Amino acid sequence: MRRRTGPRKSIAYRRAGTVAAVAATLALGPFGAGNAFAFKLFGMTLWGEDDTTDEVSDPVRYTVDLKTDNLDKDLKDSLADTSTLVADKKKPVSGDLGIVIKARDDRDRLIATLYEKARYGAVVTITIDGTNLDALPPNPTFSRAKPVAVTISIDPGPVFKLGKVSLLGDAASRDAAQYGLVPGGDAGSLTILKAGDKIVADFKNEGHPLVKLTKRDVVADHATRTVDVSLRVDSGPVAPFGNVGVTGQKSVDPNFIKTYARINEGRPYSPDELKKASDRLRKLGVFSSVTIREADKLAPDGSIPMTIEVSEGKQRYFGVGAQYSTIDGIGLQGYWGHRNLTGRADSLRIEGSVSRIGESTDVGQLDYSAGVTYVRPATFYPSATFTAGLKMQSLHPDAYDANTVTASAGLAYELSDQDTVSAGGEVSYEQDSTDAYGDQNYLTVAIPLEYVRDTRDNKLDPTEGYRASISAKPSYEAMGGTVFSSFEGSISGYQGIGANNNVVFAGKLSLGSLIGANNVEDIPATRRFYAGGGGSVRGYAYQEISPYNSKGDALGGSAYATASFEARVKITDTIGIVPFIDVGSVTDSTFPDFSDLRIGAGVGVRYATPFGPIRLDVAVPLKKYPDGTAYGIYAGIGQSF
């Protein structure tokens, strides 16, 4: 018996919901996990011993007085940030000599910071227990009656400017000004170091793999308060990539590694190509480290040999997850995977899930999913990836009940670092039941096609760039003889403002249309369009936005349009606030006509972690359905889009 018994009753009890999720992934060797002594979550040790706790023998505590009252704020802050004596003042050192060693290191660090600020006449004086650092005996002894007093006095001296600038050797024809070296300009040590590094980098980008900075003379004239700089560069010859070797691999085929890296012998040497090759290999997930090294001399044929050094990580892994929602009850997930099934970094992943536990007492109304996915990189071409999968689902959202089995296979081809096209085939059998159309069976053959352009600077938390996609899915439903196609497009953009991107404006627009069927009931329920929930219009329940008939039964739409706008405001390095507004419309027309526009608005909190921000959003519908959701609370990992 279906649980929907009257108009809109399917959403009457979904007026609010809270979602929380916990997931874990473990990498295993052939015989299981190794020893684990502690468990941490977001930097907090929840149980076990924290092996990062600082332990010192013969602990000696100290106080530190950094005298910077005569300095400007910028220099004062830089010196305070540089000093390890200041940063570690609450931590004991090991023995009396430990204070001396730390003070000597601190003096070098402070002088280096002063040189960065072009203060070449600076003097840093450190006293320990009243005695100058340089006057202490080799093995000093300090009283333990109280913390040892450390005083740091700084005479910054004048600011120096650049004097004579000379570029020598193969760099003689270059303009020093383009590297920031201008007589009378900034003479900070970082400016000089960066100039030399930039000259070397420019020669490398021009195909000179053996370029070297052979001379860097910096002479300070205290009488004129100027610094003369001489930089000599030996560019070496232009050379193409030569033979590529592979070391460190165990079970991954070295020929595959060379092929997938795409460092092609005979092509011009390019540091950018080496970085791309390294990034490609890391993204496979098979290697714990990847380093590409150049030979220190050319081969007899004039090419530069390369060596790819890899270290393989754990190849088998499994994960478990769980979530709870007052809307959908409890959900459980699990998966197992192998990252290198046949020695070519091809992966196999088996996963399953069950959800809505507690939301329904009927086990037949729970949501089930199970699937297996195989991914093989460098199929036919180094830049082509083959994917095949089999997935079975039993789904029971408010709009329909559906049991599906889907087999798919496809090939994705990287046109460039930012552009990917994909095509494939898909066969799906579906049994579904809706209040509006009753029980239906479908057998659908489809050809998914997609183009994606992605220029985002960070996939988990972008601050600039955009991601655009357009897809088409020509389909033939064999049981009813229906030919139809779905077309969808989406673009999301990001723009940070401020020195540290403290505010990021983000927007997303998505459109979709179903073309070809005479009636929407001729199309499987899972292929019709719906909106609402954390992935589209927050404030509404999952798939709540849909055309309805006069009885209040959700029909699913033939077209949709959704848009989201966020201002991601960073409050601290780890905490952010995100006001947002979402807009969506799903209609039974062939193209979006916005006849029923639904708007949700709210605010979210973000907590930054190494694996992406943790997200918690609260939203309300500004145009609520009768007996529909009054508000929604959504949690997840990663930005909403």
Side-chain angles (χ1 to χ4, degrees), residues 136-185:
L136 290 169
N139 294 295
T141 301
F142 305 113
S143 171
R144 305 299 178 87
K146 58 182 180 179
V148 179
V150 179
T151 301
I152 306 172
S153 300
I154 297 175
D155 177 6
V159 176
F160 282 59
K161 298 293 184 182
L162 279 174
K164 182 180 178 181
V165 178
S166 300
L167 299 185
L168 309 173
D170 293 325
S173 61
R174 309 244 166 174
D175 181 7
Q178 74 181 76
Y179 299 103
L181 301 179
V182 181

Side-chain angles (χ1 to χ4, degrees), residues 462-465 493-497 501 503-507:
T463 60
E464 66 177 5
Y494 312 87
Q495 182 60 60
I497 60 174
N501 293 315
V503 178
V504 177
F505 293 106

Side-chain angles (χ1 to χ4, degrees), residues 21 41-42 574 576 604-609 611-617 634-639:
L41 185 63
F42 312 137
T574 56
V605 178
R606 303 291 184 268
Y607 179 82
T609 72
F611 47 83
I614 295 176
R615 168 171 46 91
L616 180 66
D617 293 334
Y634 311 90
I637 296 175
Q639 296 288 5

